[in-house]
Amino acid sequence: MSTETTHDDHHGPARGLSRWVFTTNHKDIGTLYLLFSLLMFIVGGAMAMVIRAELFQPGLQFVEPQFFNSMTTMHALIMIFGAVMPGFVGLANWLVPMMIGAPDMALPRMNNWSFWILPFAFTMLLSTLFMDGGAPAGGWTMYPPLVMQTGNAFPFLIFSVHLMGISSIMGAINIVVTIVNMRAPGMTLMKMPLFVWTWLITAYLLIAVMPVLAGSVTMLLTDRYFGTSFFDAAGGGDPVMFQHIFWFFGHPEVYIMILPAFGIVSQIIPTFARKRLFGYSSMVYATSSIAFLSFIVWAHHMFTVGMPLTGELFFMYATMMIAVPTGVKVFNWVSTMWKGSMTFETPMLFAVGFVVMFTIGGFSGLMLAITPVDFQYHDTYFVVAHFHYVLVTGAVFSLMAAAYYWMPKWTGNMYDEKLGKLHFWLSTIFVNVLFFPQHFLGLAGMPRRIPDYSTQFTEFNQISSIGGFAFGLTQLLFVYIVYKTIKGGEKATDRVWEGAEGLEWTLSSPPPYHSFTTAPEVK
Amino acid sequence: MSEAHGGYYVPHGTSWPIVGSIGLTTLVVGFANYLNGSQTGLTITLAGFAIVLLMMFGWFGTVIRESEAGYYNEQVDKSFRWGMSWFIFSEVMFFAAFFGALYYARMLSVPWLGGGDVETNQLLWNGWEATWPTNGPGEIGGPFETVGAWGIPAINTLLLLSSGVTVTLAHWALKKNRRGALVMWLLATVALGFTFLGLQMYEYSHAYHELNLTLGTGVYGSTFYMLTGFHGLHVTIGAIMLTIIMLRCIKGHFTPDHHFAFEAVAWYWHFVDVVWLGLFIFVYML
């Protein structure tokens, strides 16, 4: 066993570009992930603007239907795999070692690789926009036989999904190993901050389901180029089989995008309520139950595909059961705030906004879980409204909350509180203007993924589009706030927030390059 | 624990990952172009593969040198162990997707095509009877025969099971520091692994040329070749890893209580073994 020093050198990072390309440092890699996520958020957001512009009026105005479909497909792929997931992985990189008292991630070289696959994968995916036959337009779910009509972009789509999968799996393995093996003495599992807990479970989900996605798209590839008949009924296969395998990945994926958000909100609310989190252990058990249930609810995405009645019933009841642990969480957040000495700085605003609006998304999810009514809602704008409430006002709002909450720690500078609050209020107002009318559109029967619509849908679409443009513009304000905070501002204290608890607040702001070179003692 | 903490090895910068990313990207871009009908595609694929190989040599080489230099304390060793275990779990789930496809086809989609439970088949494939093995109502790929379980597959089962024993014997020898026996048992394992692959290739050639069982033989051919093919790929990777471990043993690497790489490869080999048992039962026997 070596007692030699831990690092080749003890001064800070390398200079220039090589710092970022060759880095093994969890903070550098976290920063790369977060900036990449922000970039993809803007790219995917621009595509959403195209969608909303086209839907501002019935009829075809700006783009070809094929291109419109490419936009919905690419918007989803980019937001899911490029913005939300890397955003959370970036937070895990920055925070997990600091929260558990570790010097760095457990496997620092692999950490570098998990990030540096992403820019290549997304360059490849975006390059399909310029290929013969256009970018993939069959929806991000890649259902055969429709996806088989993709032009030259087809193999690029499949391989970019493979690369994203490799990246996610390596990132997830690293996070699990770090949490299991790198905790400071005394940091027992049930003392871990909830953000760490939720990421532990998320990482497990990632390792379990990303390979299944890889398998399913591999079968698409061989069906198209190597003569297999997995999804072709003439050969004894079944296109519905793809949907089952895909959603076996896809449903846990939904929780992969929300569990870390639960963790973030569970860190922020106690800080600004100046109370300990209500029901810590029930939060841990609720998270685990959600993760378990996520494996047995996948077919609620395909109620209308023609499943046996027993299947419809099983998946309906299993899905509704998820409301129980989720309800426990919402109850705990509210109870944490109950009789707390609350203040409403920007992170808290986003966290409270999360609790309220995520719950709206949760309720519309419950409606969708009821099989007989889902026959009405399936593939309408109601579904679009539902998953944007959980993903935008849920996942994205939690990412914003996290950025404001920890940015002073990361950069050493306070963000501009006035601008932060402005960002929150503009976002919250316009996101509701954007997505709330879509519920009504869906209930009235407007299908999703269609560039044109019947004239009775015009008003709600116009309201939604105006909300969309305003919400999109508001996010440029966020980019400006981040830029300004990195450049300077009022110096942050080590603790930053009066009520903040946890190891990351015992380090300086910004923290040293290698977080804890000697492990802190956790009582 | 705290001492282990102070000595946790954090490498300072690495250039192999970016080489790996360039290699992987070159590989898949080349292959995608090949699939789109480009002539140069395969060359680019091979170039990408070469870069990935270079990365693996370089990266593993660095890790081996650091390990032999004693940079890795017990905690680093544990991280590697956890990492490998979770990697194998991800591989299990990769195979699960294909096993899932097999079960779904056999238990659900094929019976439904034959009219069990639902009656849409009367409109689509009236009169078609569901059987297994099948290449579907369209008889995609033409008439075919299947590979019997009790010929080469049974022999291959024996080969892989014995290789599981020999790799364990090698591990015991390593723990007792009997280097001669260690190398001999490893050699036996590698030989069994490559013999398996040889027989598998013979079986494929037989199936393609005499049984008309190909990747294009409906859902039976698809699941058969996808499952056995990916398994074969994993045996190949495992056998190469075992060979490298054997060469390292000959070079004098590893000590009775410090040999993570050996164990990792042994675990991987057992995993490949277990997958084969699943294949033997569900693909060949039933």
Side-chain angles (χ1 to χ4, degrees):
Chain A
M1 288 321 94
S2 156
T3 47
E4 260 178 76
T5 133
T6 27
H7 322 288
D8 298 7
D9 78 16
H10 278 278
H11 12 278
R15 280 167 191 283
L17 187 66
S18 66
R19 165 178 179 182
W20 302 103
V21 179
F22 301 134
T23 183
T24 49
N25 181 276
H26 74 99
K27 299 193 187 74
D28 286 351
I29 294 170
T31 305
L32 285 170
Y33 264 114
L34 290 171
L35 293 178
F36 180 79
S37 159
L38 187 58
L39 177 68
M40 286 297 122
F41 181 58
I42 290 169
V43 173
M47 292 174 174
M49 295 300 107
V50 175
I51 295 169
R52 283 321 319 171
E54 179 57 52
L55 290 176
F56 190 74
Q57 284 179 359
L60 298 176
Q61 280 74 234
F62 302 105
V63 293
E64 294 292 311
Q66 166 83 15
F67 186 75
F68 180 90
N69 290 343
S70 288
M71 285 294 106
T72 57
T73 305
M74 296 287 275
H75 165 75
L77 287 169
I78 285 168
M79 287 304 199
I80 293 168
F81 294 102
V84 174
M85 288 166 71
F88 285 130
V89 180
L91 290 175
N93 258 295
W94 252 103
L95 297 170
V96 167
M98 295 206 295
M99 284 179 162
I100 61 172
D104 206 295
M105 296 292 278
L107 304 160
R109 284 194 183 101
M110 196 170 82
N111 202 14
N112 174 299
W113 203 21
S114 352
F115 172 75
W116 275 107
I117 286 179
L118 286 180
F120 289 87
F122 280 89
T123 309
M124 222 166 93
L125 183 64
L126 285 168
S127 71
T128 60
L129 282 164
F130 309 103
M131 286 178 189
D132 274 356
W140 81 278
T141 51
M142 300 175 280
Y143 283 1
L146 184 60
V147 75
M148 297 297 179
Q149 296 174 18
T150 310
N152 279 354
F154 185 79
F156 291 93
L157 166 69
I158 303 292
F159 291 139
S160 63
V161 170
H162 277 138
L163 291 188
M164 293 165 203
I166 295 172
S167 158
S168 297
I169 291 169
M170 289 196 300
I173 289 178
N174 212 342
I175 290 168
V176 175
V177 176
T178 305
I179 297 173
V180 177
N181 195 35
M182 303 290 281
R183 278 172 287 127
M187 178 62 82
T188 56
L189 285 177
M190 291 310 273
K191 275 187 194 161
M192 291 194 312
L194 256 170
F195 179 73
V196 181
W197 253 115
T198 52
W199 243 116
L200 176 64
I201 291 165
T202 303
Y204 163 73
L205 290 179
L206 274 168
I207 303 170
V209 301
M210 290 311 284
V212 177
L213 173 68
S216 66
V217 297
T218 305
M219 287 185 258
L220 286 179
L221 188 81
T222 57
D223 263 18
R224 168 132 169 194
Y225 293 109
F226 299 97
T228 58
S229 311
F230 287 106
F231 311 128
D232 177 10
D238 187 351
V240 176
M241 176 161 86
F242 176 85
Q243 300 186 19
H244 280 290
I245 300 173
F246 178 85
W247 285 113
F248 182 83
F249 144 79
H251 201 78
E253 168 71 16
V254 171
Y255 294 102
I256 286 164
M257 291 190 286
I258 206 65
L259 292 184
F262 291 168
I264 290 164
V265 171
S266 305
Q267 300 294 130
I268 292 175
I269 289 180
T271 298
F272 296 98
R274 291 164 183 78
K275 269 178 70 192
R276 282 180 56 189
L277 181 70
F278 184 89
Y280 170 91
S281 53
S282 67
M283 284 296 215
V284 173
Y285 299 132
T287 312
S288 317
S289 320
I290 293 174
F292 167 75
L293 288 171
S294 75
F295 285 104
I296 53 166
V297 297
W298 75 86
H300 67 216
H301 295 268
M302 20 190 308
F303 279 145
T304 58
V305 85
M307 274 189 298
L309 186 62
T310 31
E312 306 258 320
L313 286 173
F314 172 81
F315 286 108
M316 173 171 83
Y317 291 133
T319 304
M320 291 182 140
M321 259 188 331
I322 296 185
V324 177
T326 313
V328 168
K329 282 177 171 295
V330 175
F331 178 83
N332 284 349
W333 290 322
V334 174
S335 303
T336 307
M337 288 186 270
W338 180 253
K339 291 187 175 172
S341 328
M342 303 225 284
T343 51
F344 294 92
E345 286 86 348
T346 313
M348 182 62 164
L349 287 175
F350 272 100
V352 174
F354 171 96
V355 174
V356 174
M357 289 181 281
F358 172 78
T359 305
I360 295 177
F363 280 136
S364 58
L366 263 179
M367 293 168 71
L368 288 163
I370 305 166
T371 311
V373 292
D374 181 73
F375 275 63
Q376 166 84 6
Y377 305 155
H378 188 90
D379 260 348
T380 67
Y381 256 85
F382 190 80
V383 178
V384 177
H386 158 68
F387 68 71
H388 280 97
Y389 264 90
V390 289
L391 279 174
V392 180
T393 58
V396 173
F397 264 45
S398 82
L399 284 167
M400 298 290 180
Y404 286 110
Y405 186 56
W406 282 292
M407 211 156 33
K409 170 57 65 186
W410 300 334
T411 60
N413 305 322
M414 287 306 284
Y415 60 87
D416 187 326
E417 186 65 52
K418 265 198 192 128
L419 287 182
K421 284 193 167 124
L422 183 67
H423 174 222
F424 168 76
W425 284 111
L426 290 176
S427 294
T428 302
I429 292 165
F430 289 124
V431 84
N432 283 292
V433 176
L434 164 58
F435 292 120
F436 211 80
Q438 296 185 359
H439 289 115
F440 309 135
L441 287 170
L443 292 178
M446 177 170 159
R448 60 192 285 213
R449 292 169 169 160
I450 302 281
D452 188 6
Y453 51 81
S454 191
T455 45
Q456 75 267 28
F457 301 129
T458 312
E459 284 79 4
F460 281 134
N461 267 303
Q462 291 188 331
I463 297 169
S464 178
S465 286
I466 290 167
F469 300 139
F471 180 74
L473 278 177
T474 305
Q475 303 322 308
L476 298 179
L477 177 62
F478 177 67
V479 176
Y480 171 71
I481 295 170
V482 171
Y483 172 79
K484 204 176 150 203
T485 313
I486 294 172
K487 281 287 160 199
E490 189 195 327
K491 292 290 154 225
T493 59
D494 289 358
R495 198 173 191 81
V496 184
W497 312 107
E498 180 191 57
E501 303 277 351
L503 286 177
E504 78 266 34
W505 308 108
T506 64
L507 292 166
S508 57
S509 301
Y513 196 54
H514 299 287
S515 300
F516 288 98
T517 35
T518 43
E521 198 70 42
V522 181
K523 302 249 158 50
Chain B
M1 185 75 181
S2 68
E3 190 196 307
H5 234 279
Y8 199 90
Y9 183 74
V10 180
H12 187 81
T14 170
S15 51
W16 292 117
I18 195 75
V19 176
S21 292
I22 293 168
L24 270 182
T25 308
T26 314
L27 192 154
V28 293
V29 167
F31 196 53
N33 276 315
Y34 166 73
L35 293 174
N36 282 336
S38 149
Q39 295 303 315
T40 48
L42 267 191
T43 323
I44 301 172
T45 310
L46 287 176
F49 189 64
I51 300 173
V52 172
L53 278 185
L54 175 79
M55 177 275 288
M56 291 176 86
F57 270 101
W59 193 330
F60 284 118
T62 310
V63 173
I64 290 167
R65 271 191 302 281
E66 287 172 356
S67 170
E68 290 299 308
Y71 286 179
Y72 297 162
N73 62 18
E74 216 171 301
Q75 201 186 3
V76 178
D77 193 67
K78 239 187 197 166
S79 287
F80 286 166
R81 280 163 199 276
W82 277 110
M84 188 67 193
S85 319
W86 285 104
F87 169 67
I88 290 176
F89 175 61
S90 78
E91 291 270 51
V92 169
M93 293 309 292
F94 183 68
F95 276 97
F98 299 109
F99 273 108
L102 176 67
Y103 298 145
Y104 189 88
R106 288 191 64 167
M107 307 310 293
L108 299 169
S109 69
V110 169
W112 285 341
L113 281 173
D117 281 359
V118 280
E119 269 146 45
T120 42
N121 78 312
Q122 289 177 8
L123 294 167
L124 296 167
W125 316 100
N126 199 9
W128 185 73
E129 279 203 36
T131 51
W132 188 265
T134 182
N135 50 358
E139 295 186 7
I140 305 293
F144 67 99
E145 290 170 67
T146 58
V147 178
W150 299 106
I152 289 177
I155 299 171
N156 267 346
T157 309
L158 276 181
L159 288 179
L160 270 196
L161 286 179
S162 345
S163 75
V165 175
T166 53
V167 80
T168 306
L169 289 172
H171 193 200
W172 288 353
L174 173 55
K175 281 211 237 176
K176 288 183 190 139
N177 212 14
R178 289 167 49 215
R179 310 291 298 196
L182 164 66
V183 173
M184 195 198 76
W185 287 121
L186 270 180
L187 185 64
T189 314
V190 170
L192 286 165
F194 280 110
T195 314
F196 172 95
L197 284 172
L199 286 176
Q200 188 80 347
M201 271 151 70
Y202 171 78
E203 183 195 271
Y204 273 14
S205 146
H206 173 67
Y208 256 83
H209 295 117
E210 283 143 57
L211 305 177
N212 192 33
L213 174 61
T214 71
L215 192 59
T217 305
V219 76
Y220 183 83
S222 307
T223 49
F224 176 83
Y225 281 104
M226 206 65 137
L227 278 160
T228 56
F230 269 114
H231 176 262
L233 178 70
H234 282 76
V235 176
T236 313
I237 295 168
I240 292 170
M241 295 199 302
L242 278 169
T243 311
I244 288 164
I245 292 296
M246 185 177 74
L247 294 175
R248 285 186 65 188
C249 288
I250 294 170
K251 247 190 126 186
H253 289 189
F254 306 125
T255 63
D257 41 35
H258 204 71
H259 49 259
F260 158 72
F262 178 97
E263 284 186 55
V265 173
W267 294 343
Y268 193 81
W269 194 248
H270 288 309
F271 149 71
V272 167
D273 211 351
V274 171
V275 172
W276 175 260
L277 286 180
L279 285 180
F280 185 64
I281 295 168
F282 294 109
V283 174
Y284 290 99
M285 272 169 63
L286 296 178

